[in-house]
Amino acid sequence: MTPRSCLTVILAAGEGTRMKSSLPKVLHNIAGLPIVAHVAKAVHGAGVRDIALVVGKGGNQVEAAVRSVVSSVTVHEQTERLGTAHAVLAARESIAREYDDILVVFGDTPLIETAALDQARSKLADGVDVVVMGFRPAVPNGYGRLIEQDGRLIAIREEKDASEAEKKIGFCNGGLMALRGQTALALLDKITNDNANNEFYLTDVVEIANADGKSVVAIEISPDNVIGINTRVELAEAEAIWQTRKRRDMMLAGVTMQAPETVFFAHDTLVEADAILEPNIIFGPGVSIASGAVIHAFSYFEGAKIGANANVGPFARLRPGADLAAKSKVGNFVEVKNAKVGVGAKVNHLTYIGDAIVGPAANIGAGAITCNYDGYNKHLTEIGANVFIGSNSSLVAPVSIGDNAYVASGSVITANVPADALAFGRARQEVKEGRAVQLRARYAAQKLAKKAD
Ligand code: UD1
Ligand code: CA
């Protein structure tokens, strides 16, 4: 059986004034990914490759966000906002391309799950013409109500047009729909704006399809799936739901978390089974953690790769390009940026490693710093295998320390150190026998004289 072709129309022409933002609503992030990109990702997960994106004025950024997750995108501009059906018809050219299935989703419902889209499409495959995704919200106010008869969906009544009896219905329109491609355009073209808002309502397609003898059903999906974001409060609530789902997925996939509610993932975080995440860890985008790694509390990662059985934190900060090899150790108050830390290397305390390569089994002492930036350019520090860098040393890049070399504590290293060498880069210590006694006597006398004044 050849798979059914499918086009998803994403409606994202809304302005989102209630966000009180200069950024279009659908570009606000959840788990570091724009809302609309979450929608596109779910669509992609349902095996749908083609997307028709309906944007308002200045939709370039919205388009870019969608293209960051799917490649086959056609953009349609809806210049006037005349309702959801009007918005869908802005994508007329794409819809006319004879797809088996047409999905209509909203760009501001980031928690839609692939499973719900699959469920709707399977109804189309069974021969249904119009599938409406319904849900039962705790409070139905504001939603269109689903009016059913004998398992068929007869109509969707927008709240403003609903009678008192209809308002009592708890089964509501989530807004998302699936339409048989063959008949979609003909049905959509019959929608008028004859209602309380003078808008072209997509929901009217239900009555029109029924009048045309088509089959229309509502499926019930979980309320999370259709949460729309209108305010920053709803944005935070959606983020919380997303995080809860992700934590659960992670734990079921073998990741240990003692206090999952304190760990915050990014949309693309990868953690292998048997990694351990202690409380209070924050992931920015682009982080992967291999099996057996232990991440101690209060760590913050972004664009970093953590190898198998590595040990990181507490209070570690890994910035983009940090690449920790297996069994390496990065301890408390250590920052690593654009640097490879070799197998079994240790960077245990109070250190900055930036633009560097740290060889296997090297040991970087407390407070050692790579001085990678001269105010204009970044420079590389190379540290060989088995090197020992004494505490509180500054490695002024570009500089390289050969294998098995030893740098004395407190050194400022400005020149390359060959393999097996010992480098001191500090003033020689002087000791004056008995001088502390003289010094104290002098200071005490001065203090006495001052009091007498
Ligand atoms: C819609 C449904 C309602 C459902 C609710 C679920 C209709 C007529 N009503 O109402 O039954 O219960 O969603 O949340 O469909 N949009 C455009 N261009 C337009 C109008 C809307 O792109 O001209 C986009 C919006 O940006 C938004 C989506 O379509 O992403 C839904 O529009 P909105 O005005 O929020 O519909 P609701 O009134 O919430
Ligand atoms: Ca809405």
Side-chain angles (χ1 to χ4, degrees):
M1 203 179 76
T2 51
R4 295 170 65 87
S5 64
C6 182
L7 172 76
T8 300
V9 183
I10 301 183
L11 306 187
E15 283 156 12
T17 49
R18 281 183 284 162
M19 290 296 278
K20 307 248 164 67
S21 176
S22 56
L23 192 68
K25 168 166 89 170
V26 295
L27 292 180
H28 285 262
N29 282 347
I30 286 178
L33 187 74
I35 290 169
V36 71
H38 280 273
V39 176
K41 228 175 132 176
V43 163
H44 193 71
V48 179
R49 295 294 169 259
D50 295 353
I51 286 184
L53 177 67
V54 178
V55 295
K57 277 177 224 106
N60 296 348
Q61 282 174 284
V62 177
E63 177 182 351
V66 172
R67 283 195 197 281
S68 75
V69 284
V70 289
S71 50
S72 177
V73 183
T74 319
V75 179
H76 304 271
E77 203 176 338
Q78 185 197 21
T79 41
E80 269 183 302
R81 275 187 102 243
L82 301 180
T84 43
H86 182 258
V88 174
L89 281 170
R92 175 187 297 279
E93 268 175 51
S94 295
I95 298 170
R97 275 186 270 147
E98 295 184 350
Y99 288 92
D100 294 318
D101 302 345
I102 306 285
L103 281 173
V104 178
V105 302
F106 294 168
D108 64 357
T109 55
L111 299 175
I112 181 72
E113 287 174 301
T114 293
L117 300 173
D118 285 343
Q119 203 187 333
R121 284 189 68 198
S122 78
K123 287 281 177 203
L124 292 183
D126 290 347
V128 174
D129 295 290
V130 177
V131 185
V132 169
M133 298 190 218
F135 71 116
R136 292 180 191 279
V139 184
N141 295 0
Y143 293 109
R145 307 299 206 281
L146 300 185
I147 301 170
E148 289 179 300
Q149 215 173 66
D150 309 325
R152 289 166 43 228
L153 184 67
I154 300 300
I156 304 176
R157 194 80 67 231
E158 289 306 292
E159 172 140 315
K160 280 188 182 163
D161 302 299
S163 68
E164 283 311 310
E166 286 167 342
K167 279 185 190 163
K168 292 210 173 76
I169 298 172
F171 195 24
C172 294
N173 178 22
L176 316 187
M177 249 184 228
L179 306 162
R180 169 178 306 285
Q182 257 172 14
T183 47
L185 264 188
L187 296 176
L188 293 168
D189 273 329
K190 289 186 185 158
I191 296 173
T192 66
N193 63 350
D194 180 18
N195 53 53
N197 271 352
N198 292 323
E199 279 189 19
F200 294 88
Y201 287 162
L202 175 61
T203 45
D204 284 353
V205 81
V206 170
E207 275 173 287
I208 290 166
N210 274 299
D212 222 31
K214 302 278 189 290
S215 61
V216 185
V217 298
I219 56 171
E220 182 171 347
I221 60 179
S222 87
D224 286 1
N225 274 266
V226 289
I227 287 176
I229 309 299
N230 297 302
T231 66
R232 304 217 192 209
V233 174
E234 287 165 348
L235 182 68
E237 286 166 356
E239 173 86 39
I241 293 169
W242 189 94
Q243 292 294 344
T244 304
R245 284 183 184 174
K246 185 74 176 180
R247 291 166 189 143
R248 192 183 146 77
D249 289 349
M250 286 279 184
M251 290 185 282
L252 291 175
V255 177
T256 297
M257 282 184 263
Q258 296 161 316
E261 68 282 5
T262 66
V263 177
F264 294 85
F265 294 105
H267 64 98
D268 60 352
T269 307
L270 297 172
V271 185
E272 287 183 4
D274 282 330
I276 296 175
L277 306 181
E278 286 186 1
N280 296 296
I281 298 167
I282 295 182
F283 290 91
V287 177
S288 69
I289 298 182
S291 182
V294 177
I295 313 300
H296 298 285
F298 299 100
S299 293
Y300 192 109
F301 306 144
E302 190 185 348
K305 201 171 150 203
I306 298 173
N309 302 304
N311 200 303
V312 181
F315 298 98
R317 177 167 185 212
L318 302 181
R319 292 172 51 204
D323 183 351
L324 314 188
K327 293 184 187 159
S328 59
K329 192 164 186 318
V330 167
N332 44 263
F333 307 106
V334 171
E335 174 178 339
V336 180
K337 184 215 76 170
N338 187 33
K340 283 191 191 323
V341 175
V343 175
K346 290 182 184 148
V347 190
N348 270 335
H349 340 261
L350 301 155
T351 289
Y352 173 56
I353 298 290
D355 302 304
I357 298 170
V358 177
N363 189 313
I364 314 292
I369 299 280
T370 54
C371 307
N372 60 321
Y373 186 49
D374 56 18
Y376 296 92
N377 294 299
K378 307 272 168 69
H379 302 283
L380 182 69
T381 300
E382 288 178 276
I383 298 171
N386 267 316
V387 164
F388 184 93
I389 306 286
S391 294
N392 202 36
S393 292
S394 304
L395 308 173
V396 183
V399 73
S400 92
I401 319 285
D403 291 348
N404 304 305
Y406 195 108
V407 169
S409 295
S411 291
V412 176
I413 299 295
T414 54
N416 293 346
V417 179
D420 296 315
L422 166 62
F424 285 89
R426 63 193 190 204
R428 190 170 285 279
Q429 179 171 320
E430 280 186 55
V431 176
K432 316 260 183 201
E433 295 281 352
R435 275 281 285 277
V437 180
Q438 291 173 17
L439 204 69
R440 285 210 177 88
R442 193 167 83 212
Y443 290 159
Q446 282 171 357
K447 205 171 171 183
L448 257 176
K450 224 179 192 170
K451 257 191 191 161
D453 268 358

